[in-house]
Amino acid sequence: MEKHQLLWSFAMLWVFASPFSRVWVVNGESPYRFYDWHITYGTIRPLGVPQEGILINGQFPGPEIYSVTNDNIVINLHNNLREPFLISMNGILQRKDSWKDGMYGTTCPVPPGKNHTITMHFKDQIGSFFYFPSLNFHKAAGGFGAIRIQSRPMIPVPFDPPAGDYSVLIGDWYKTNYTVKIHCLNFILPSLILKKIMDGGNRLLFPDSILINGQGSNSASFDVEPGKTYRLRISNIGLQNTLNFRIQGHKMKLVEVEGTHTQQNTYTSLDIHVGQSYSVLITADQTSKDYFIAVSTRFTSQVLESTAILHYTNSQQKPSGSIPEAPTDETWSLNQARSIRMNLTASGPRPNPQGSYHYGEINVTRTIRLANSAGLINHKQRYAVNKVSFVPADTPLKLADHFKIEGVFELGSIPDKNVQGPIQLKTAVMAADFRDFVEIVFENKEGILQSWHLNGYFFFVVGMDKGTWHDAARKQYNLQDAVARSTVQVMD
Ligand SMILES: *[C@@H]1O[C@H](CO)[C@@H](O)[C@H](O)[C@H]1NC(C)=O
Ligand SMILES: *[C@@H]1O[C@H](CO)[C@@H](O)[C@H](O)[C@H]1NC(C)=O
Ligand SMILES: *[C@@H]1O[C@H](CO)[C@@H](O)[C@H](O)[C@H]1NC(C)=O
Ligand SMILES: *[C@@H]1O[C@H](CO)[C@@H](O)[C@H](O)[C@H]1NC(C)=O
């Protein structure tokens, strides 16, 4: 793997509403779906050893949120943990409700023993997403699950209805008990040894394994009937590792990425970065037997691999032969990312074609360059954006804004581009104006692939390359058919 190369990804962000707008639109006509969720600890054994997991209604992973475009979702969330709990909906647009995006700083966590009711409107959205706990590294213990938003019946979908539709949550996993994890840099990290490692300025430890729908290797199984076509909605819900996903003897036709219908390219394997979701179609067109589904870590010197089974319903035969190999180079991954394009003629959540929104013709009103860095402050490993490492405020920012409480945060407390000097601790808030159309350049100098997620928004990924970003790179931007998504990888 090529080291010490700077890679940039470029995104355009349309700020739909000022982050501080307080308009709340309720759509009274769309159906409501009510959920009662009880968050508890429970013993799970995904890797054979008992460990303390975080369960939702007794389930690990949590229940899937099944919905249709424009549904209203109401979740009464009961927190039975010893700590505050907060859940975030990855990729769900929060055009008007950024104060309840499920992130610390904007949304109040549910205190232990209490319940809150979360309401969301899946307005003008389709596709595959997931939810996860956003506080205290709870994600390392569970509390995550899939979200699917189906198209409304009258909206054309650019492929035939599949015979089955499976959510596949993949992610790296530590077998250390959540209870023995200790606090370090706003996070809770597995084991005491880790604290020393992190305080020494190193990365999070290498995980123990990869789970597929909460199960260890060779456990999860997906049934397919010979000759039929199935949709798999694959999300990387892990902590740090890019995962490569592939199926022995079968090709995958990519149809959707985080709510955008894509050009239906065929892939033998897909790199799925932390926080990303992909929908593929697979056809059970091979000899009736069982096949390996393989998931392995990418860009790591040690490679972890887990398998699941693609089971033909009339098969009596366990999977055999060799597990398909993953690609090993970075350029392959970069080229694959560039090949993912929006289908301009297909409909999205509305009947009109996705391509009728000409994002390339909108004038950019602002450029923001975001560069990550790592450093030690007070003997702790910290991470920063443009040299500012975020410190949560005691008062949620939205409340401070609403009630005009002074001194909680300052607008513009993080610069629009990287600066010289040491990392500073701040409650960083960047202001944006209503209807801004923003060019965001992500720059990664850290020697480890980064995955950037813009909570509550989507952006068009118009470029991605090695080297240092420069003005001339704009000439290479894809201003026609880039996918709109909420999470982008930036390689090192
Ligand atoms: C880890 O959690 C399991 C399940 O809750 C429990 O049985 C075990 O004693 C715990 N181990 C440690 C070291 O805390
Ligand atoms: C807490 O749960 C109770 C019982 O389900 C419900 O009546 C109440 O409205 C909930 N409170 C909040 C703040 O959501
Ligand atoms: C794009 O969508 C259209 C309309 O549904 C479909 O006919 C076409 O095959 C798709 N094109 C590609 C390249 O996937
Ligand atoms: C973008 O700016 C140009 C030049 O100022 C202007 O002619 C054009 O109308 C603008 N386009 C849009 C979509 O606002």
Side-chain angles (χ1 to χ4, degrees), residues 227-243:
K228 295 198 168 160
T229 297
Y230 293 80
R231 180 175 185 169
L232 302 183
R233 300 164 186 261
I234 314 153
S235 294
N236 184 339
I237 48 85
L239 294 176
Q240 65 165 337
N241 288 102
T242 298
L243 300 174

Side-chain angles (χ1 to χ4, degrees), residues 171-188:
D172 47 20
W173 191 256
Y174 297 84
K175 64 182 174 212
T176 325
N177 254 11
Y178 176 73
T179 39
V180 299
K181 291 165 194 167
I182 51 107
H183 283 269
C184 175
L185 39 114
N186 302 329
F187 286 13
I188 301 179

Side-chain angles (χ1 to χ4, degrees), residues 76 78 115-117:
N76 187 354
H78 306 259
N115 66 303
H116 282 178
T117 299

Side-chain angles (χ1 to χ4, degrees), residues 177-448:
N177 254 11
Y178 176 73
T179 39
V180 299
K181 291 165 194 167
I182 51 107
H183 283 269
C184 175
L185 39 114
N186 302 329
F187 286 13
I188 301 179
L189 297 164
S191 91
L192 282 163
I193 305 153
L194 242 189
K195 180 170 167 39
K196 273 196 183 145
I197 293 171
M198 297 291 289
D199 284 352
N202 294 293
R203 291 162 48 178
L204 188 60
L205 276 192
F206 195 64
D208 295 306
S209 189
I210 297 164
L211 300 191
I212 302 170
N213 281 352
Q215 294 174 277
S217 194
N218 216 10
S219 303
S221 179
F222 301 88
D223 286 356
V224 293
E225 275 183 47
K228 295 198 168 160
T229 297
Y230 293 80
R231 180 175 185 169
L232 302 183
R233 300 164 186 261
I234 314 153
S235 294
N236 184 339
I237 48 85
L239 294 176
Q240 65 165 337
N241 288 102
T242 298
L243 300 174
N244 181 268
F245 185 95
R246 55 208 182 272
I247 307 173
Q248 188 186 30
H250 293 75
K251 289 205 154 52
M252 300 179 284
K253 192 192 269 185
L254 186 70
V255 292
E256 179 247 335
V257 169
E258 290 154 39
T260 303
H261 283 135
T262 58
Q263 286 183 23
Q264 297 175 6
N265 302 331
T266 299
Y267 299 93
T268 48
S269 83
L270 275 175
D271 274 352
I272 305 179
H273 305 274
V274 171
Q276 295 186 334
S277 301
Y278 288 90
S279 269
V280 298
L281 297 180
I282 54 155
T283 300
D285 54 5
Q286 301 296 307
T287 318
S288 282
K289 67 180 207 69
D290 289 0
Y291 294 86
F292 288 117
I293 295 173
V295 185
S296 53
T297 56
R298 284 282 268 138
F299 320 120
T300 52
S301 43
Q302 183 193 342
V303 176
L304 286 176
E305 183 171 76
S306 282
T307 57
I309 312 295
L310 185 74
H311 171 67
Y312 278 54
T313 46
N314 60 349
S315 151
Q316 307 289 333
Q317 216 185 319
K318 295 249 170 288
S320 55
S322 52
I323 295 171
E325 283 188 11
T328 49
D329 70 309
E330 269 186 33
T331 306
W332 182 93
S333 198
L334 192 57
N335 288 337
Q336 176 169 84
R338 287 176 177 143
S339 74
I340 297 171
R341 304 285 176 119
M342 180 179 8
N343 181 333
L344 295 172
T345 58
S347 298
R350 285 169 171 267
N352 55 316
Q354 295 179 133
S356 50
Y357 179 67
H358 300 283
Y359 68 91
E361 290 171 17
I362 303 171
N363 292 328
V364 166
T365 50
R366 172 151 167 213
T367 295
I368 298 171
R369 295 174 68 165
L370 300 176
N372 49 287
S373 55
L376 290 183
I377 293 189
N378 302 331
H379 310 293
K380 284 185 180 169
Q381 173 71 67
R382 302 279 317 195
Y383 293 93
V385 177
N386 292 350
K387 299 285 159 50
V388 180
S389 188
F390 186 78
V391 187
D394 293 336
T395 311
L397 305 186
K398 280 288 166 184
L399 288 181
D401 180 56
H402 185 78
F403 294 107
K404 303 201 165 29
I405 304 168
E406 299 282 318
V408 178
F409 67 87
E410 205 186 314
L411 289 179
S413 44
I414 174 169
D416 272 16
K417 60 178 192 223
N418 205 13
V419 292
Q420 298 293 323
I423 290 176
Q424 298 184 40
L425 301 179
K426 279 186 195 170
T427 302
V429 177
M430 191 180 269
D433 292 329
F434 185 54
R435 294 195 187 280
D436 263 358
F437 196 68
V438 182
E439 172 187 46
I440 303 179
V441 181
F442 297 101
E443 296 171 295
N444 184 5
K445 299 178 187 176
E446 232 189 289
I448 169 179

